[in-house]
Amino acid sequence: MYSLVILNGTMIKKSQQKKRTSPCNYKERFFVLDTEELKYSECRPGKKSILKGCIKLCSIKCVETVFSDLPIPCTFKYPFQVFHDNHFLYIFAPDNNCRLRWVQAIKEETKNNKLVEKYHPQFWMDGKWRCCQQSNKLAKGCHVYDPLGYASKKPLPGIPDAEVGLHDALQKMVIALQNYTPFRDKELALQKDKEYTLMDSSNPEWWNVRDEKGNTGLVPSTHVTEKSGKNFERFEWYNKNITRGEAEDILFKEAKEGAFMVRNSRQTGVYTVSVFTKAPGSNGEKNPCVKHYQIRQTETGEPTFYLAEKYLFQTIPELIYYHQHNAAVCVCVYMCYLAGLITRLRHPVTQAGGFSQETAGPSQDEWEVDPEDLDFGLQLGSGQFGLVLQGRWREKKVALKMIKEECMSNEEFKEEARIMMRLYHSKLVQLYGVCTQRSPMCLVLEFMENGCLSDYLRTKKGTLSQDAMLEMCLDVSEGMAYLEMSNFIHRDLAARNCLVSKNNVVKLSDFGMTRYVLDDQYTSSLCSKFPVKWSAPEVIKYCKFSSKSDVWSFGVLMWEVYTEGRLPYENRSNTEVVESLNAGMRLLKPKLAPEAVYLLMEWCWKEKPVDRPSFALLLHELSSLSSYL
Ligand code: ADP
């Protein structure tokens, strides 16, 4: 009979321990899913692979991700389970997308089987189920099984055929500076910080690379950097032969906060970052000025390059990328000043002067709103940037967020608005446009009848059902999963920054805005307005923002929902909060939160960012809870 291959790739499998005495081990296997079977084999370099196992698809009763609150003891960290013929096979995928792709594909192939009604969301371990503590391995599951599942609602892109090959030691390795989602067939997805083998760099813009699973494809050359080598010409920030004086002239002429370039120092093999700033320096020097920072190298070990102490990178492009996307000055809560840059590296400047070409966004006309089309109404509230008014635009009820000039720089506001206009999702407060032709400038936003989530929770206190609370968390996680997928970091996720619609849908607002706040009371972790109680430890210590630091804040937001709008760590100062977090303490379980929901909160508050779940996974877990609770 004919069988068609649906998916293949390398993953890790845990021994099935069919007999009580069989050992527990983790082995790398090459998996193939076809229309009849799920097979896995051992690959031996240069030799024929050996088939190690084969599961008939008709014998599968459940396939689902596994939720684990314990560290995963093998290199691939994304487990899923296949329950077949009374056996449990645990498979570990290298990343969440890969896991969802497999789960989705197997679910699709087995949806007409005789399936379980309930399954176990956690591991069978040490003679019992971690989820429900039952000690019979074949005991009925404790969680409703969804044969279609979240994954099937949101189709993921297919993967190119995997050609498995061995890494050639002579070939150059490159590291991804940022994620990249392919748009055309010939392209390959990149995952930030992962290594790829460079196959061909003859085209200056598109390089051919191979990932660890053997998939090859084209990627933009500016999204990767060679692990060794100093070939920076393709980066817009690199100006090879420019002296200190010339750099100052060019940057002064631009006179934009954070305009910067990287140039060769007089000392051979050393590089300097020159950056323009209007910010006052620590030793009272005159402003504006151009500051020069030598990129330093540690004597030994890897990673080696750094500008700010504690922030080490394997390569210079990684270091620049980091400082382009993270807050400038890092001040830790205990008053010790960590050597840092005076400003974020905002605008790369090219040798001939002028900013480098940004990727084309919507044209001016697409997002500029004519002030004549706007009607200004009553005040809805006031925030960090100024007043928020009710208004009307093209027959639509809208909210108009006025931006006080001293709160945000004009240029940066426009840049931000352009980015926000590109993001579109039903769980994000939609930005319709901006009006920059009058002062103060304003954002034209979707109108949210029920105001901000924190106030909403407090007014609804005592009336919210379990379903309603879970739905709120689901809404936020859906919006955040979209931002995560778009490589966009929120940076200030909290109930006060979510808004509630007429139909009680919760949507994200103010995403990414903190980067443009000029008030350093807000941006420095030492200062009173910094949202320490929502911030991950790495943000408080090093201002290191990431989707995983957003995940931490999401845990706090869930806590706000289940306490019906209480302030986290009430009556405790920021310093006390940091001390108790360092001592391993966390917010306590809100009375209204079911155990499974609190487990998710705790997962968000893992010390190490890598141990926290992604938003895609949180969304999945919350969706399965919603059918269970
Ligand atoms: P800021 O970001 O400047 O701190 P906020 O976004 O918190 O300001 O807005 C202040 C208040 O204005 C909110 O608490 C809310 O009541 C109201 N508001 C803001 N945006 C909207 C909107 N899109 N629809 C309805 N009300 C809004």
Side-chain angles (χ1 to χ4, degrees), residues 176-215:
L177 293 168
Q178 51 187 297
N179 291 345
Y180 179 71
T181 314
F183 292 104
R184 297 169 301 174
D185 282 353
K186 285 180 190 159
E187 295 174 17
L188 187 74
L190 289 176
Q191 207 183 327
K192 187 172 176 315
D193 298 329
K194 273 213 162 177
E195 290 190 12
Y196 299 80
T197 310
L198 180 60
M199 314 288 285
D200 180 8
S201 58
S202 55
N203 180 324
E205 277 154 18
W206 291 94
W207 286 3
N208 195 4
V209 301
R210 187 174 63 199
D211 68 15
E212 61 187 5
K213 284 175 251 156
N215 305 311

Side-chain angles (χ1 to χ4, degrees), residues 26-301:
Y26 295 84
K27 297 220 163 113
E28 200 171 289
R29 294 286 179 254
F30 188 71
F31 282 81
V32 177
L33 171 69
D34 64 30
T35 45
E36 298 294 319
E37 293 156 341
L38 173 66
K39 287 178 278 208
Y40 49 93
S41 40
E42 182 184 354
C43 283
R44 299 170 305 159
K47 291 189 195 154
K48 209 166 163 260
S49 57
I50 308 170
L51 184 68
K52 288 286 187 176
C54 174
I55 298 166
K56 291 250 172 280
L57 295 191
C58 60
S59 70
I60 293 180
K61 298 174 193 162
C62 159
V63 52
E64 195 48 276
T65 56
V66 179
F67 167 82
S68 174
D69 52 347
L70 294 174
I72 303 282
C74 64
T75 46
F76 290 178
K77 305 286 183 199
Y78 294 83
F80 65 96
Q81 55 183 303
V82 177
F83 177 42
H84 65 101
D85 312 298
N86 294 345
H87 300 303
F88 289 88
L89 173 64
Y90 290 118
I91 303 172
F92 297 78
D95 59 60
N96 192 40
N97 271 351
C98 172
R99 164 166 69 175
L100 290 179
R101 199 181 290 128
W102 279 88
V103 170
Q104 179 190 1
I106 305 173
K107 276 192 173 183
E108 188 58 40
E109 293 308 305
T110 57
K111 65 184 178 200
N112 298 323
N113 287 5
K114 196 166 168 1
L115 300 166
V116 295
E117 275 168 30
K118 289 192 168 188
Y119 78 108
H120 295 281
Q122 296 199 31
F123 284 113
W124 167 262
M125 203 182 269
D126 304 328
K128 62 178 182 222
W129 285 105
R130 280 192 69 77
C131 36
C132 55
Q133 307 300 318
Q134 297 186 82
S135 55
N136 172 5
K137 197 168 181 181
L138 291 176
K140 197 170 176 207
C142 54
H143 224 79
V144 174
Y145 177 58
D146 179 355
L148 297 172
Y150 158 70
S152 58
K153 287 181 208 150
K154 283 201 171 174
L156 289 158
I159 43 163
D161 278 349
E163 302 160 16
V164 211
L166 290 171
H167 285 294
D168 180 344
L170 294 174
Q171 264 166 332
K172 266 194 204 156
M173 298 304 286
V174 292
I175 303 171
L177 293 168
Q178 51 187 297
N179 291 345
Y180 179 71
T181 314
F183 292 104
R184 297 169 301 174
D185 282 353
K186 285 180 190 159
E187 295 174 17
L188 187 74
L190 289 176
Q191 207 183 327
K192 187 172 176 315
D193 298 329
K194 273 213 162 177
E195 290 190 12
Y196 299 80
T197 310
L198 180 60
M199 314 288 285
D200 180 8
S201 58
S202 55
N203 180 324
E205 277 154 18
W206 291 94
W207 286 3
N208 195 4
V209 301
R210 187 174 63 199
D211 68 15
E212 61 187 5
K213 284 175 251 156
N215 305 311
T216 58
L218 296 174
V219 296
S221 66
T222 47
H223 282 49
V224 290
T225 178
E226 287 141 282
K227 221 177 149 188
S228 51
K230 306 246 164 96
N231 174 14
F232 309 138
E233 263 81 3
R234 66 186 188 286
F235 293 105
E236 50 205 10
W237 39 255
Y238 184 52
N239 293 277
K240 195 172 181 180
N241 299 316
I242 272 198
T243 62
R244 185 185 176 100
E246 285 166 344
E248 289 184 356
D249 287 348
I250 295 172
L251 293 171
F252 262 112
K253 215 157 86 202
E254 295 299 341
K256 277 200 177 179
E257 182 63 28
F260 79 100
M261 62 170 70
V262 179
R263 56 187 179 82
N264 290 11
S265 291
R266 259 185 302 182
Q267 213 178 320
T268 344
V270 177
Y271 298 84
T272 300
V273 178
S274 302
V275 56
F276 175 88
T277 182
K278 294 176 190 157
S282 50
N283 44 2
E285 66 260 77
K286 270 221 192 105
N287 292 298
C289 67
V290 170
K291 293 207 137 234
H292 305 273
Y293 300 89
Q294 211 176 60
I295 298 179
R296 304 208 223 175
Q297 249 182 305
T298 53
E299 300 286 311
T300 50

Side-chain angles (χ1 to χ4, degrees), residues 599-615:
L599 266 176
L600 289 181
M601 291 183 208
E602 287 187 309
W603 199 6
C604 297
W605 301 326
K606 294 273 177 204
E607 179 70 25
K608 287 199 210 137
V610 286
D611 294 336
R612 295 174 209 149
S614 63
F615 280 106

